[in-house]
Structures are given as C-alpha cells and as structure tokens.
Amino acid sequence: MDVALARSWIIEVSAAVTEQADYLTQLDSAIGDADHGVNLKRGFTAAVAALEGADPKTVGDVLVKTGTTLVSKVGGAAGPLYGTAFRAIGKALPADSSTVDAAELGAALRAGLAAVQKLGAAVPGDKTIVDAYGPAVAAFEKAADDGLTAAARAAADAAAEGMRATTELHARKGRASYLGPRSVGHQDPGATSTWLIFQALADVTS
Ligand code: ADP
Ligand code: MG
Ligand code: MG
C-alpha cells in the first residue's frame, strides 16, 4: 500500500458510509439513538476533506490524519472509537517508508483493535465493533503471506460473518446495552460499519 492507495481507501469508506448512511441509522434506531449513519457520514466526509488539504508523506500519516479528524468531528461512541483505531493503525506503521506491505498493515490493524478495546473495554461477544474487527484482523493476518489483495478480501469476508453473528448477541456495551435482552435479534450498527470499512479496503486493493 502506498499513500495514494491509503487515500483511496478513506475515500471509498466515505462513499460507502454515505451510500449506506440510512441503513446504518436504521440499524441504530432499533437498538440505539438513530445517528450512526449520520455520524460516520459526517466524520469520513470531513476526513476526506482534511486529506485533500494535506500532503501526507506516508500511509501512517494518511491514517493518523483520518483518525484525528474522526475524533474531532464525531461525537458519541463510534467517532472516538474509530478515530482512536485509525490513529493507532497509522502510528503502528513504519514512519521511514512511504509504502507498507501486508504483514505491516496486519500488525497495525491489530494495534488498532487493541486501542479500540483499551478505550471501550468491549470483549468479543459484547455486540460491538469488536465482533467484526476481531475476526477481520485474524483473517487478515492469516492471509497476509498471500499479499494485500487476498488479506483484505479475507478480512472483509470475516468482518461480514462477525457482523451477521451480532444479531443473536445480547449487547453489553454502548447504548444498546440499556436494552439488555431486547437487543437480541438486531444486527449491531458499529459491527456493520466495520464491515463497510474492510469491504472498502478489499475494493480498493482488488
Ligand atoms: P452512539 O451510540 O454514541 O450514538 P454511534 O451510534 O455512532 O454512537 O455508534 C454505536 C456503535 O458503537 C454500536 O453499534 C457499537 O458497535 C459501537 N460501540 C458502542 N460502545 C462500544 C464499545 N465500548 N466498544 C466498541 N464498540 C462500541
Ligand atoms: Mg447512535
Ligand atoms: Mg449518538
């Protein structure tokens, strides 16, 4: 991955969350406060604008800038969580090279997951972002030897499976946890946007 591809990834995420904003908000209206699509559309639109006005030299710079913008522009749970994730991913990448390989990106994605779990204290099965992000990172790492395209495809497929599996889960973190057992039967909005983020990575690397 080079700087141009990293930019393309964020542009693709912005397009995807904008296209799916109503769907994400609809999922959030069932078990939250009906703002997840609006939140992410605003955040990633701002990230694309921030990148247009910047001259990042490394993939890490692109992702740190994305994360910083998300933290500053999006309230609620997902803005700080995704912002922290992108900042951690960017910071974990080599600062002395303008390109990164699949193994380096896999390790950075793993650092992003750790940052999300440190901030939000969610574990697998809590019906959150972690339930799509965790399987996606594991699949990415497993396929990293086959290259970025294969790793990103495997990660997107694993994220989709993790996302679908959230439907049967009882939420234990975030707003949905206020519903307790009534959260069962609804797919988690954050796990769904995590799938979109990995799907965008697979799309731009294929
Ligand atoms: P808010 O709930 O503040 O309105 P959003 O609607 O943008 O924020 O995001 C909701 C999503 O955030 C949830 O669907 C869930 O996936 C994710 N989430 C909430 N709390 C946590 C947490 N502690 N750790 C990981 N993800 C979380
Ligand atoms: Mg919400
Ligand atoms: Mg909210």
PDB file of all heavy atoms in Angstrom, residues 28 32-36 39 75-78 175, ligand 3:
ATOM      1  N   ASP A  28     -29.299   1.558  13.883  1.00  0.00           N
ATOM      2  CA  ASP A  28     -29.093   2.240  15.169  1.00  0.00           C
ATOM      3  C   ASP A  28     -30.425   2.684  15.769  1.00  0.00           C
ATOM      4  O   ASP A  28     -30.526   2.859  16.983  1.00  0.00           O
ATOM      5  CB  ASP A  28     -28.154   3.442  14.972  1.00  0.00           C
ATOM      6  CG  ASP A  28     -27.574   3.970  16.282  1.00  0.00           C
ATOM      7  OD1 ASP A  28     -27.383   3.173  17.226  1.00  0.00           O
ATOM      8  OD2 ASP A  28     -27.309   5.182  16.355  1.00  0.00           O
ATOM      9  N   GLY A  32     -30.386   1.809  19.354  1.00  0.00           N
ATOM     10  CA  GLY A  32     -29.593   2.951  19.813  1.00  0.00           C
ATOM     11  C   GLY A  32     -30.381   4.239  19.654  1.00  0.00           C
ATOM     12  O   GLY A  32     -31.562   4.284  19.976  1.00  0.00           O
ATOM     13  N   ASP A  33     -29.725   5.271  19.123  1.00  0.00           N
ATOM     14  CA  ASP A  33     -30.356   6.589  19.031  1.00  0.00           C
ATOM     15  C   ASP A  33     -30.413   7.117  17.604  1.00  0.00           C
ATOM     16  O   ASP A  33     -30.516   8.341  17.398  1.00  0.00           O
ATOM     17  CB  ASP A  33     -29.624   7.581  19.948  1.00  0.00           C
ATOM     18  CG  ASP A  33     -28.149   7.688  19.591  1.00  0.00           C
ATOM     19  OD1 ASP A  33     -27.694   6.892  18.741  1.00  0.00           O
ATOM     20  OD2 ASP A  33     -27.462   8.552  20.147  1.00  0.00           O
ATOM     21  N   ALA A  34     -30.325   6.218  16.631  1.00  0.00           N
ATOM     22  CA  ALA A  34     -30.582   6.565  15.226  1.00  0.00           C
ATOM     23  C   ALA A  34     -29.649   7.646  14.668  1.00  0.00           C
ATOM     24  O   ALA A  34     -30.099   8.547  13.966  1.00  0.00           O
ATOM     25  CB  ALA A  34     -32.051   6.981  15.039  1.00  0.00           C
ATOM     26  N   ASP A  35     -28.369   7.537  15.000  1.00  0.00           N
ATOM     27  CA  ASP A  35     -27.439   8.538  14.437  1.00  0.00           C
ATOM     28  C   ASP A  35     -26.165   7.930  13.845  1.00  0.00           C
ATOM     29  O   ASP A  35     -25.286   8.681  13.408  1.00  0.00           O
ATOM     30  CB  ASP A  35     -27.064   9.592  15.503  1.00  0.00           C
ATOM     31  CG  ASP A  35     -26.312   8.990  16.685  1.00  0.00           C
ATOM     32  OD1 ASP A  35     -26.103   7.763  16.713  1.00  0.00           O
ATOM     33  OD2 ASP A  35     -25.936   9.763  17.597  1.00  0.00           O
ATOM     34  N   HIS A  36     -26.050   6.613  13.818  1.00  0.00           N
ATOM     35  CA  HIS A  36     -24.763   6.029  13.414  1.00  0.00           C
ATOM     36  C   HIS A  36     -24.385   6.387  11.973  1.00  0.00           C
ATOM     37  O   HIS A  36     -23.236   6.747  11.699  1.00  0.00           O
ATOM     38  CB  HIS A  36     -24.777   4.512  13.607  1.00  0.00           C
ATOM     39  CG  HIS A  36     -23.419   3.888  13.480  1.00  0.00           C
ATOM     40  ND1 HIS A  36     -22.358   4.254  14.283  1.00  0.00           N
ATOM     41  CD2 HIS A  36     -22.930   2.944  12.627  1.00  0.00           C
ATOM     42  CE1 HIS A  36     -21.286   3.548  13.940  1.00  0.00           C
ATOM     43  NE2 HIS A  36     -21.607   2.752  12.935  1.00  0.00           N
ATOM     44  N   ASN A  39     -23.475  10.070  11.821  1.00  0.00           N
ATOM     45  CA  ASN A  39     -22.175  10.283  12.471  1.00  0.00           C
ATOM     46  C   ASN A  39     -21.025   9.924  11.538  1.00  0.00           C
ATOM     47  O   ASN A  39     -20.067  10.697  11.388  1.00  0.00           O
ATOM     48  CB  ASN A  39     -22.053   9.401  13.728  1.00  0.00           C
ATOM     49  CG  ASN A  39     -22.923   9.872  14.878  1.00  0.00           C
ATOM     50  OD1 ASN A  39     -23.403  10.995  14.874  1.00  0.00           O
ATOM     51  ND2 ASN A  39     -23.145   9.014  15.856  1.00  0.00           N
ATOM     52  N   GLY A  75     -19.111  12.910  17.526  1.00  0.00           N
ATOM     53  CA  GLY A  75     -19.365  12.635  18.943  1.00  0.00           C
ATOM     54  C   GLY A  75     -19.803  11.194  19.128  1.00  0.00           C
ATOM     55  O   GLY A  75     -19.621  10.355  18.250  1.00  0.00           O
ATOM     56  N   GLY A  76     -20.406  10.908  20.266  1.00  0.00           N
ATOM     57  CA  GLY A  76     -20.928   9.574  20.529  1.00  0.00           C
ATOM     58  C   GLY A  76     -19.826   8.558  20.723  1.00  0.00           C
ATOM     59  O   GLY A  76     -18.677   8.907  21.001  1.00  0.00           O
ATOM     60  N   ALA A  77     -20.193   7.308  20.576  1.00  0.00           N
ATOM     61  CA  ALA A  77     -19.250   6.220  20.820  1.00  0.00           C
ATOM     62  C   ALA A  77     -18.342   5.975  19.617  1.00  0.00           C
ATOM     63  O   ALA A  77     -17.120   5.844  19.751  1.00  0.00           O
ATOM     64  CB  ALA A  77     -20.031   4.941  21.153  1.00  0.00           C
ATOM     65  N   ALA A  78     -18.934   5.897  18.435  1.00  0.00           N
ATOM     66  CA  ALA A  78     -18.179   5.398  17.283  1.00  0.00           C
ATOM     67  C   ALA A  78     -17.095   6.362  16.807  1.00  0.00           C
ATOM     68  O   ALA A  78     -16.041   5.914  16.352  1.00  0.00           O
ATOM     69  CB  ALA A  78     -19.140   5.077  16.143  1.00  0.00           C
ATOM     70  N   ARG A 175     -24.914   2.140  23.993  1.00  0.00           N
ATOM     71  CA  ARG A 175     -26.339   2.398  24.205  1.00  0.00           C
ATOM     72  C   ARG A 175     -27.210   1.153  24.132  1.00  0.00           C
ATOM     73  O   ARG A 175     -28.209   1.047  24.854  1.00  0.00           O
ATOM     74  CB  ARG A 175     -26.857   3.360  23.131  1.00  0.00           C
ATOM     75  CG  ARG A 175     -26.434   4.772  23.346  1.00  0.00           C
ATOM     76  CD  ARG A 175     -26.950   5.652  22.203  1.00  0.00           C
ATOM     77  NE  ARG A 175     -26.484   6.998  22.424  1.00  0.00           N
ATOM     78  CZ  ARG A 175     -27.048   7.844  23.268  1.00  0.00           C
ATOM     79  NH1 ARG A 175     -28.131   7.495  23.932  1.00  0.00           N
ATOM     80  NH2 ARG A 175     -26.544   9.044  23.443  1.00  0.00           N
TER      81      ARG A 175
HETATM   82 MG    MG B   3     -25.485   9.144  19.487  1.00  0.00          MG
END
